[in-house]
Amino acid sequence: MRRDNQSSMSEFLLLGLPIWMEQHDMFFPLFLGMYLTTVLGNLLIILLIKLDSSLHTPMYFFLSHLAFTDISFSSVTAPKMLMNMQTQNQSISYAGCISQVYFFIFFADIDSFLLTSMAYDRYMAICHPLHYSIIMRQSLCFLLVIVSWVLSFANALVHTLLLAYLSFCGDNTLPHFFCDLSTLLKLSSSDTSTNELVILTVGGVVITLPFICILVSYGHIGATILRVPSTKGICKALSTCGSHLSVVSLYYGAIIGLYVSPSSSDSNSKDVIVAVFYTLVTPMLNPFIYSLRNRDMKGALGNILSKVFTIMYSVD
């Protein structure tokens, strides 16, 4: 793609995490373990939902897509970060940097839309249980997922195209472990007012509007729960929402800490640390949240393990 004021920038230098070079050997196994846990844990969720017919419901349909998105989201940044820590090669090509920005925004947006779809599913299940099976048909679930992918694709493409037309003629050092859009804009020698306006409007709507929808859904759910006379009914309703609420809190809590909280001149290290939580810790915790807090998932895991053990004993 041709850029205005053709710049000679062919690569960027990622400074990585705010840790000493001597500490890389200590932190590398930690972050590698976190990434592998993210991949294997989310793959386990996808496998359980695929194999257990009792989990073939709208809620777990969305969860399987969320698990796939979490794997992809972590894979956008973690492998490059781990490779840089191991090889001490901090460079990333211009094309690689632009691609990383695109896929980072793409999968982050899908996460947001999928969490919103899951909140709507919980709203229908608790507030309108008699109409749940009629409204939450398979066709609607597929439509919600397709719309999530299309909107995320469009939003990421807009940001990436605007970024590709900027010139980078000066410093090529990024004080981050991946190509963060806001950090790249600070390095550009071009006018970035259009980019910032699009981030504030389009990007803000993609994150803020789903969050508002989630809050409204749980507002109605809370009102419905309070009208339930029995403690057993309240506990059952809360058990179906607890896992999702935990994931929503982690996801939007990290976003607020990363992009909404006021920044200062010495806040870069804080931003990098929060970004690690956002890109590595949150996707890693999601499988544990749904496995430990969800009775259906624990039951499905137990059934699969019992079948495996049965097969092993029969072979012996």
Side-chain angles (χ1 to χ4, degrees), residues 5-272:
N5 305 322
Q6 291 290 314
S7 69
S8 58
M9 188 73 68
S10 60
E11 66 178 18
F12 294 95
L13 296 179
L14 299 171
L15 293 186
L17 301 172
I19 57 178
W20 296 104
M21 193 76 70
E22 296 79 11
Q23 296 176 315
H24 280 189
D25 290 338
M26 178 178 65
F27 280 95
F28 178 81
L30 173 64
F31 290 121
L32 178 60
M34 291 170 63
Y35 176 62
L36 292 178
T37 302
T38 299
V39 173
L40 296 177
N42 283 288
L43 281 177
L44 177 61
I45 285 182
I46 295 173
L47 183 64
L48 289 177
I49 294 174
K50 182 69 174 179
L51 295 179
D52 196 313
S53 58
S54 66
L55 299 181
H56 293 174
T57 63
M59 175 183 173
Y60 295 107
F61 173 77
F62 293 129
L63 178 58
S64 64
H65 283 271
L66 182 67
F68 172 77
T69 304
D70 282 340
I71 295 173
S72 304
F73 184 53
S74 291
S75 299
V76 172
T77 58
K80 179 60 178 176
M81 180 191 73
L82 292 169
M83 185 177 69
N84 289 357
M85 292 178 67
Q86 192 70 6
T87 64
Q88 308 301 328
N89 179 19
Q90 298 173 309
S91 65
I92 181 172
S93 66
Y94 173 82
C97 194
I98 298 296
S99 299
Q100 196 175 58
V101 169
Y102 172 80
F103 286 108
F104 181 86
I105 297 173
F106 178 58
F107 289 115
D109 289 349
I110 293 179
D111 253 1
S112 179
F113 288 123
L114 287 175
L115 289 174
T116 307
S117 299
M118 295 173 76
Y120 178 71
D121 173 72
R122 293 299 83 206
Y123 161 74
M124 291 302 306
I126 295 174
C127 299
H128 303 283
L130 298 179
H131 303 286
Y132 178 78
S133 59
I134 299 175
I135 296 177
M136 295 303 297
R137 300 185 306 274
Q138 188 178 47
S139 58
L140 178 62
C141 296
F142 276 114
L143 178 62
L144 289 174
V145 170
I146 292 173
V147 169
S148 300
W149 280 74
V150 171
L151 292 178
S152 301
F153 168 81
N155 182 54
L157 186 63
V158 169
H159 288 297
T160 308
L161 289 177
L162 289 174
L163 177 64
Y165 274 97
L166 297 180
S167 295
F168 298 89
C169 301
D171 186 16
N172 70 335
T173 303
L174 286 170
H176 221 301
F177 65 92
F178 71 97
C179 292
D180 178 61
L181 178 59
S182 58
T183 307
L184 278 169
L185 294 182
K186 296 176 183 177
L187 292 183
S188 176
S189 56
S190 304
D191 179 18
T192 60
S193 58
T194 302
N195 302 70
E196 293 168 357
L197 179 62
V198 171
I199 291 174
L200 185 63
T201 54
V202 180
V205 168
V206 167
I207 297 298
T208 305
L209 189 59
F211 184 54
I212 293 174
C213 292
I214 292 174
L215 291 179
V216 171
S217 296
Y218 275 102
H220 286 288
I221 290 173
T224 302
I225 290 175
L226 293 177
R227 291 197 296 266
V228 177
S230 66
T231 304
K232 182 180 179 181
I234 294 176
C235 293
K236 183 179 180 181
L238 290 176
S239 66
T240 63
C241 302
S243 300
H244 182 254
L245 271 176
S246 301
V247 173
V248 168
S249 300
L250 285 172
Y251 179 81
Y252 283 100
I255 289 179
I256 292 172
L258 186 60
Y259 296 111
V260 179
S261 62
S263 60
S264 59
S265 57
D266 59 346
S267 65
N268 183 71
S269 295
K270 181 214 69 172
D271 292 342
V272 174

